[in-house]
Structures are given as structure tokens and as C-alpha cells.
Amino acid sequence: MVKFSLKTLAEDVLTLEINTIVKANMSACKMPSSRREALWSIAGDYHLQLVEYGCREPVCWAGAGLMAFLELYDRANRGIEKTELELNQFHLNEAQKIALREKATMLQRIKVQSEQLVSVFNELARAKGLDLNVEEQRLLLEKRADEAQLKPPLLYDIESVAWNNDLTRAQIQRQTQDLELDAVQLSLLRKIWEIGTERILLQTVIHVDGDVTTRVTESFLIDCDPNLLHIHQEGITTSVQFWSNLVKTIREVAASFFNRGQRLFP
């Protein structure tokens, strides 16, 4: 059963993040109701982005579970190392350097978010009474790269289906048991799915203590679009208004619980 707590909700609203993303086209689709399908979509986006960057090979785990995201983490990490070497070349002009830095940033996103999803699968495994050794996972990943014909053991382990998602697309579509994620894990999955591999041009982070941080992509500074600035500002205004109302609601609910407790235990 998905867990929920007022404490978790309160912690989640301490920071507000507004992203302005440029996308070539819109699918107008919401995140799939199936968590397994959402993970498959994320893994597919990461796979295609790494293929475009030329750092996806070898492909050993084509699913969307523990080992698949561990492999995506590894390939992104290798891509970062290669990109950093390219950045040290002296013949690059400023535009080429900016493009490489944006590539490194995207690879870092794939690396970090893949690692976060690996942690989620490990949490799900521990909830089922399993204690998976991270070092053994990495050794298995390396072994798969050397033995291309090796069948992934987790793929055919019926017991692992309850917490893992290293399945073929056909198996996911036939699987009636969805992953049981708590509120924090589901929030993480939703954010990762929504951002995907899109280019974030503007980002503003607002903390409850009043600190505000705005990040701007280098390429946007070269070709600044005032319309995007206006859209971003509108997003900030709308989000802050919603945030304020949400915090007010949480405060009222908390006060209601406190008052009810006083009546029950005077």
C-alpha cells in the first residue's frame, strides 16, 4: 500500500522549483498510471539520449529496472569523463565549449537520476526482506558487458517482480502487479518523468526561508528570448500563489489535528 504522511507532505513543500523547458514538439500525455510503464518511458528516453551522444554501448540490460538503470548510470558516467576530456582541447571555440558543457550537464542529470532510481529499487527490495549488495550489482553489470549471451537472472525471477522492473515491454504490459511506491518515491518518479531529457533554459528555486536561486543556460544568454522570460515569470507567480495556499491548508489541517488531540486528551 502507498504510504502517506502529513510530515512528508510538509517537507516536500519547503522548496519550490520552477523550470522553463524548450521542447521540439508536445505529446500532451500525462505520466502513465502504471509506474512500470513510466519507468520504461524514462529508460527509453535515457537510452536514446545516450545513443545520440555515442556513449550507450554495450547495451546489456534493455529493461527499466534495477540493473537497467545501473547500466544507464554507468554509461552516462563514462560519457561525462569523455566530454570532460573533449573540453580540455585547445582548438574549441566558445560555441563548441557551451555545447559540450550542456552535454555534460545532461549526462550528469541522467547519471544522478538513474542512481536515484537504483536507490528506489534497493529500497523496494529491502521492504521485501532482501538485502542487495551494491558491489555485487556492479560486478554483475561488468560481467554482462563481457558475456553478451548471459541471461539476466533478475529478468526471470518471479519473486523479484514485486519490487523490480527489469522486464521486457511485453512482460510489463502483461504484468498486473504494479510497483508499490510510497509518496516520496512516487514524487521522485513523477519529477524524473516530467523533466526527462528536455533542455531546461531557466530554473528558479525558492526556499521557505526566503532564499531564491535562478539558473540560466549559457546558450539562452547568447540568444535571449523575452517571451520565454515572461513565461518563466508567470510560472513563478502562479507557483508561489499555489504554494502559499498549500502551506496555508497544511497549517490549518495541522491545527485541526492539534485541537482535536486537545479535546480527546485534555
Side-chain angles (χ1 to χ4, degrees), residues 10 68 72 189 198 213 236:
L72 290 167
L189 176 62
E198 310 298 345
T213 303
I236 293 174

Side-chain angles (χ1 to χ4, degrees), residues 49-95:
Q49 189 66 73
L50 292 175
V51 168
E52 181 180 330
Y53 288 158
C55 55
R56 181 64 179 98
E57 299 295 332
V59 180
C60 302
W61 297 82
L66 172 64
M67 295 304 297
F69 280 104
L70 184 58
E71 180 173 290
L72 290 167
Y73 165 90
D74 178 76
R75 304 300 184 262
N77 192 46
R78 295 184 187 184
I80 292 171
E81 293 173 354
K82 180 181 177 182
T83 304
E84 288 176 346
L85 290 175
E86 293 175 352
L87 274 168
N88 290 328
Q89 298 178 20
F90 296 104
H91 65 274
L92 299 176
N93 59 41
E94 191 59 29

Side-chain angles (χ1 to χ4, degrees), residues 145-191:
D146 296 333
E147 304 176 20
Q149 300 304 315
L150 179 65
K151 292 183 179 180
L154 297 178
L155 186 62
Y156 301 102
D157 183 356
I158 301 301
E159 294 298 323
S160 74
V161 171
W163 60 267
N164 197 10
N165 199 43
D166 272 317
L167 308 169
T168 65
R169 186 65 184 278
Q171 287 173 319
I172 288 177
Q173 292 175 336
R174 292 196 302 268
Q175 181 58 239
T176 57
Q177 181 183 13
D178 205 356
L179 295 172
E180 296 182 359
L181 305 181
D182 62 28
V184 175
Q185 294 165 340
L186 186 58
S187 176
L188 173 66
L189 176 62
R190 183 177 301 280
K191 180 176 180 179

Side-chain angles (χ1 to χ4, degrees), residues 6-16 183-184 187 243 246:
L6 188 63
K7 179 176 180 293
T8 298
L9 178 59
E11 291 173 347
D12 286 344
V13 299
L14 292 180
T15 302
L16 188 65
V184 175
S187 176
W243 193 28
L246 183 59

Side-chain angles (χ1 to χ4, degrees), residues 62-161:
L66 172 64
M67 295 304 297
F69 280 104
L70 184 58
E71 180 173 290
L72 290 167
Y73 165 90
D74 178 76
R75 304 300 184 262
N77 192 46
R78 295 184 187 184
I80 292 171
E81 293 173 354
K82 180 181 177 182
T83 304
E84 288 176 346
L85 290 175
E86 293 175 352
L87 274 168
N88 290 328
Q89 298 178 20
F90 296 104
H91 65 274
L92 299 176
N93 59 41
E94 191 59 29
Q96 290 172 320
K97 289 180 181 179
I98 290 175
L100 283 173
R101 283 195 288 265
E102 289 189 358
K103 175 182 176 181
T105 299
M106 180 63 71
L107 287 169
Q108 183 67 19
R109 184 196 303 177
I110 294 174
K111 172 185 172 181
V112 170
Q113 295 187 340
S114 294
E115 186 176 33
Q116 290 176 329
L117 290 173
V118 167
S119 296
V120 168
F121 285 114
N122 281 321
E123 289 173 2
L124 294 177
R126 283 193 292 271
K128 297 295 181 181
L130 301 175
D131 188 13
L132 301 182
N133 187 290
V134 176
E135 186 58 34
E136 291 178 354
Q137 294 170 18
R138 297 191 181 279
L139 289 174
L140 178 58
L141 184 65
E142 294 174 3
K143 185 177 182 181
R144 281 280 294 170
D146 296 333
E147 304 176 20
Q149 300 304 315
L150 179 65
K151 292 183 179 180
L154 297 178
L155 186 62
Y156 301 102
D157 183 356
I158 301 301
E159 294 298 323
S160 74
V161 171

